[in-house]
Amino acid sequence: MSSMKDVVILGIESSCDDTSAAVIKNGVIKSNFISTQAVHKEYGGVVPELASRAHQQNIIPVVATALKHANMSIQDIDGIAFTRGPGLLGALLVGTSFAKGLALSNQIKMVEVNHLQGHILAHFIKSSEEDNDQPQFPFICLLVSGGHTQIVLVKSVLDMEVLGSTIDDAAGEAFDKCAKVMGLPYPGGPIIDKKAQIGNPKAFTFGKPKVSGYDYSFSGLKTSFLYRLKDEVKKNPDFIEQHLDDLCASLQNTIIDILMEKLLKAMKDYKVKDVAIAGGVSANSGIRTRLTELSKQHHWNLFLPEFQYTTDNAAMIAITGYYKYLNNDFASQNITPKARFSI
Ligand code: KG4
Ligand code: ZN
């Protein structure tokens, strides 16, 4: 039996190409089930229409599985948290509409969640009731995903300030687009990560952007990478194949250099001691190693997310929903998704 004070949240995530549901009880993870859509692989990127359709097919079994893994039924749920945005509109509509129907038919409160806030608050998911290893406020979070690259000052769970953002491509996009140029399948980020581990990060150099403040830019790197490869392939058609590991290592090293420069600046300017990283690209082993070294050097407390919470997942939506629920911040039945939605 749950006591009166227990708060159980069902999270639903459907913003891009992962259909996910999770259950969190009093901030402690009970289940986190993710179904990654395979249909996009052969297209070299996410196809919005196919994503919506796959969400539509997956959502009921995914939610049922998350409840089952948590050993709960819908009657145990106090709040349904869903991703309102940012993301693909058709994909968001599936999760939003499903959350509305489920909430209405079972008289459960609804909470809307910003996906980006979710990525950051993944650091507050407890693995058990005794888990107290969370960042202290204020801290800085480097949010790096396929769609976003931002430096965020986190003042409290629900009070965040974006200090800088990418002015063009996201870091994950840089990984994926450069991978495509090398003939690697989508998503290329994890493949580059693997190959980079055996390549030489100093083998090639690529231009770094000059952007003011805490903003980022990655489109120049992509172009410089593309032209460098074109030049080399003209001279030697097997160039990419012969240098794949070194190309991956050098590209990854450049992306990390770009990311770290602004993060270091923000950490110094804001005199913050705790630093976190979030989003799909935070799974990257090179970024983790570099951040670990930097943190030792500068005496920061570093928070690296568990791998299951790096790429899109509903646990991060449920934990954000949990804090909003405690704040009585509920959504109404006429709420609509937002494809563009800042923190
Ligand atoms: O957060 P996420 O799942 O989706 C968005 O909200 O965008 O991030 C997906 C991105 C993709 O660009 C993928 O290539 C990248 O995260 N990614 C990685 C790694 N694992 C995932 N990039 C580099 N190294 C990795 N190990
Ligand atoms: Zn994401």
Side-chain angles (χ1 to χ4, degrees):
M1 275 298 286
S2 338
S3 77
M4 284 293 285
K5 286 194 202 95
D6 284 340
V7 175
V8 183
I9 303 289
L10 169 69
I12 294 172
E13 157 64 31
S14 74
S15 67
C16 191
D17 59 343
D18 296 294
T19 316
S20 179
V23 176
I24 278 188
K25 180 178 176 182
N26 303 330
V28 180
I29 190 78
K30 294 294 162 191
S31 69
N32 182 35
F33 186 72
I34 307 169
S35 167
T36 300
Q37 304 176 357
V39 290
H40 310 289
K41 269 218 163 75
E42 59 186 291
Y43 299 94
V46 178
V47 185
E49 293 290 311
L50 296 180
S52 309
R53 199 176 310 174
H55 284 304
Q56 195 74 267
Q57 287 165 339
N58 293 341
I59 190 109
I60 290 178
V62 163
V63 170
T65 306
L67 285 170
K68 193 172 163 213
H69 286 181
N71 236 330
M72 291 194 196
S73 74
I74 194 69
Q75 279 73 38
D76 298 312
I77 303 299
D78 299 298
I80 298 174
F82 63 94
T83 305
R84 186 182 182 194
L88 303 168
L89 190 69
L92 292 165
L93 271 166
V94 178
T96 304
S97 304
F98 185 80
K100 284 188 188 189
L102 193 62
L104 187 64
S105 55
N106 292 282
Q107 295 180 316
I108 302 172
K109 292 198 165 87
M110 263 193 312
V111 188
E112 53 139 318
V113 171
N114 179 301
H115 179 89
L116 303 176
Q117 211 165 28
H119 270 301
I120 295 173
L121 293 185
H123 285 282
F124 293 84
I125 300 167
K126 293 180 166 207
S127 56
S128 68
E129 272 171 46
E130 295 74 41
D131 178 0
N132 284 316
D133 188 26
Q134 279 116 32
Q136 301 287 307
F137 304 109
F139 68 93
I140 279 178
C141 186
L142 175 65
L143 173 58
V144 270
S145 73
H148 298 85
T149 299
Q150 300 186 328
I151 294 182
V152 182
L153 178 66
V154 187
K155 300 171 196 170
S156 72
V157 255
L158 299 173
D159 185 8
M160 304 182 184
E161 183 188 341
V162 178
L163 302 179
S165 294
T166 181
I167 57 167
D168 40 58
D169 291 348
E173 251 177 309
F175 271 106
D176 297 340
K177 286 180 176 173
C178 291
K180 200 170 180 177
V181 169
M182 292 187 284
L184 300 173
Y186 176 86
I191 305 169
I192 290 181
D193 185 355
K194 235 186 181 158
K195 299 203 179 292
Q197 289 170 26
I198 42 174
N200 173 8
K202 307 268 185 230
F204 303 98
T205 50
F206 305 105
K208 291 190 193 132
K210 288 185 181 60
V211 191
S212 67
Y214 308 110
D215 284 344
Y216 286 113
S217 167
F218 286 99
S219 71
L221 172 62
K222 176 194 65 194
T223 313
S224 131
F225 187 77
L226 175 70
Y227 283 108
R228 178 71 193 267
L229 287 194
K230 273 193 172 162
D231 280 351
E232 298 285 357
V233 168
K234 239 185 252 163
K235 291 181 264 173
N236 169 13
D238 298 327
F239 178 82
I240 296 178
E241 231 186 324
Q242 288 166 2
H243 299 274
L244 192 55
D245 298 336
D246 287 348
L247 282 169
C248 288
S250 301
L251 173 71
Q252 179 172 299
N253 192 48
T254 309
I255 294 175
I256 299 173
D257 282 348
I258 296 170
L259 288 173
M260 293 305 129
E261 189 195 322
K262 296 296 175 84
L263 179 64
L264 186 64
K265 178 173 156 58
M267 288 298 290
K268 284 185 173 168
D269 292 352
Y270 284 84
K271 298 184 177 62
V272 166
K273 277 279 161 218
D274 286 17
V275 63
I277 186 164
V281 183
S282 72
N284 185 268
S285 60
I287 293 182
R288 287 175 172 243
T289 306
R290 186 81 74 85
L291 256 180
T292 305
E293 289 164 4
L294 269 179
S295 299
K296 269 198 197 123
Q297 198 183 331
H298 296 277
H299 307 287
W300 300 337
N301 305 312
L302 171 64
F303 293 85
L304 298 170
E306 267 180 48
F307 284 106
Q308 63 164 329
Y309 304 140
T310 56
T311 39
D312 291 346
N313 65 87
M316 70 187 201
I317 304 306
I319 192 72
T320 308
Y322 170 68
Y323 285 109
K324 293 185 89 168
Y325 184 100
L326 295 183
N327 254 0
N328 290 316
D329 187 352
F330 302 115
S332 68
Q333 272 286 335
N334 60 13
I335 196 161
T336 52
K338 282 173 87 168
R340 301 172 69 81
F341 191 8
S342 64
I343 282 179

